[in-house]
Amino acid sequence: MTRIGVATAAEVPDLDDEGQLLLAALRARGVVADPVVWDDADVGWPDLDVVVVRSTWDYHSRPEEFLAWADRVSSVTRLLNPAEVLRWNTDKRYLAELERAGIPIVPTQFLAPGAGPAHRYEGVEHVVKPVVSAGSRDTLRLGADDVSRSHEHAVRLLDAGRGVMVQPYLHEVDEHGETAMLYLDGEFSHAMRKGPLLTPGMGLVEGLFAEEEMSLRDPSAAERALADAVLAAMPERFSADLLYARVDLLPSPAGPLLLELELTEPSLFLDHHPPSVDVLAEAIVGRALAPRR
């Protein structure tokens, strides 16, 4: 009997709503499918034919432990997305690599531990966040005059040994929102509008993630073209192995810009687009039955 594990965090051991939809779709295809907490030492990973990374939303607090887990699981079974993809994608400095490949990204300055907190976006509204994060945790939107708070937040992260990224706040998002482009098994599936998440004077997000205002969106031709280009610009060795991808875009006067490429544990909004549940389940079962390379 084919066995599939859907990896999650201890805080959501039974998965979220879309994870439950995925479990039901997998079980309807005659396989054994169960949630598995990624850092549970009692899980028998070799007994699973496939492990699908889904709601592992606490990984950012222990990134090296998470990546070591991914390597261990990959050595005994098939992990989706693969460990090498997770290692590349969990540190947002991948944005610089994509920019060098010609992808227009939200302007970004990276600060490394040991560096000072000064940055080129002092004097404009901006966002400060760690390069390893999830669910908008440890992310602040700061005003043009809020230099001291900006520096304090950057120093707190840098002193903890965490890399930092600083970006100008793009006000077009306040009306247009973000656009999340969802790809399943290498094909475009659907798009979502995410309402503006960062508010002036906001504090740090509590819990696993910030609540999001989501709705289906018909993406523009420019958004679709950029999302396709992002996936085409990825390191070639990754592209054939992606089970899912989410390309998050922000609007700007010059057109859409890449905010993030989510390949590790993104919400896929399967509950907003029911056909996507079956597409993802079919892709997972197909990979579970295929010979391992």
Side-chain angles (χ1 to χ4, degrees):
M1 177 68 72
T2 301
R3 298 192 62 200
I4 295 170
V6 182
T8 186
E11 290 87 343
V12 280
D14 298 319
L15 304 175
D16 61 350
D17 291 344
E18 77 168 37
Q20 287 290 335
L21 288 174
L22 178 59
L23 283 181
L26 289 169
R27 291 166 179 167
R29 285 159 172 79
V31 303
V32 176
D34 293 296
V36 285
V37 175
W38 72 269
D39 56 353
D40 183 349
D42 295 327
V43 175
W45 303 107
D47 299 329
L48 300 171
D49 296 288
V50 162
V51 176
V52 183
V53 180
R54 292 306 308 122
S55 43
T56 58
W57 296 324
D58 57 349
Y59 83 87
H60 65 92
S61 63
R62 294 171 288 156
E64 289 307 316
E65 182 180 340
F66 176 74
L67 294 174
W69 165 81
D71 288 339
R72 289 196 304 274
V73 172
S74 294
S75 71
V76 296
T77 189
R78 180 182 277 110
L79 183 68
L80 304 172
N81 281 324
E84 60 178 354
V85 172
L86 306 185
R87 186 170 296 279
W88 180 78
N89 186 241
T90 48
D91 188 318
K92 292 181 179 62
R93 282 174 285 203
Y94 67 76
L95 287 169
E97 182 177 341
L98 291 174
E99 184 179 33
R100 289 193 295 271
I103 297 299
I105 70 168
V106 174
T108 303
Q109 181 178 356
F110 295 100
L111 306 176
H119 55 80
R120 69 174 69 105
Y121 301 114
E122 296 166 13
V124 299
E125 194 165 14
H126 60 279
V127 175
V128 178
K129 58 187 176 182
V131 297
V132 179
S133 65
S136 296
R137 295 289 304 273
D138 294 312
T139 297
L140 285 181
R141 173 180 171 181
L142 297 147
D145 299 327
D146 209 350
V147 177
S148 61
R149 189 169 179 232
S150 177
H151 284 189
E152 288 169 4
H153 185 51
V155 166
R156 183 177 69 84
L157 296 171
L158 293 167
D159 285 353
R162 304 175 72 182
V164 169
M165 55 195 296
V166 187
Q167 299 171 315
Y169 185 79
L170 303 182
H171 290 273
E172 291 79 8
V173 72
D174 292 335
E175 179 177 348
H176 186 268
E178 294 181 27
T179 299
M181 305 285 288
L182 285 306
Y183 290 75
L184 303 177
D185 200 24
E187 299 293 332
F188 175 70
S189 172
H190 56 290
M192 300 293 298
R193 179 191 185 274
K194 182 189 298 186
L197 201 60
L198 305 178
T199 57
M202 65 178 287
L204 295 175
V205 170
E206 301 291 339
L208 280 179
F209 54 85
E211 294 295 331
E212 299 173 332
E213 175 193 330
M214 305 300 306
S215 58
L216 282 169
R217 159 166 277 168
D218 185 12
S220 69
E223 288 172 328
R224 178 63 190 274
L226 176 54
D228 287 349
V230 168
L231 294 183
M234 286 181 56
E236 184 177 350
R237 66 184 182 276
F238 296 160
S239 301
D241 293 323
L242 292 181
L243 174 66
Y244 54 76
R246 195 180 92 195
V247 185
D248 291 346
L249 307 176
L250 287 186
S252 81
L257 302 174
L258 176 65
L259 176 65
E260 291 188 42
L261 171 58
E262 299 267 18
L263 305 177
T264 303
E265 39 61 67
S267 294
L268 300 173
F269 311 113
L270 306 177
D271 47 344
H272 289 264
H273 187 67
S276 63
V277 182
D278 290 321
V279 171
L280 185 59
E282 285 287 340
I284 293 168
V285 172
R287 291 174 189 232
L289 297 175
R292 286 187 67 197
R293 290 180 292 175

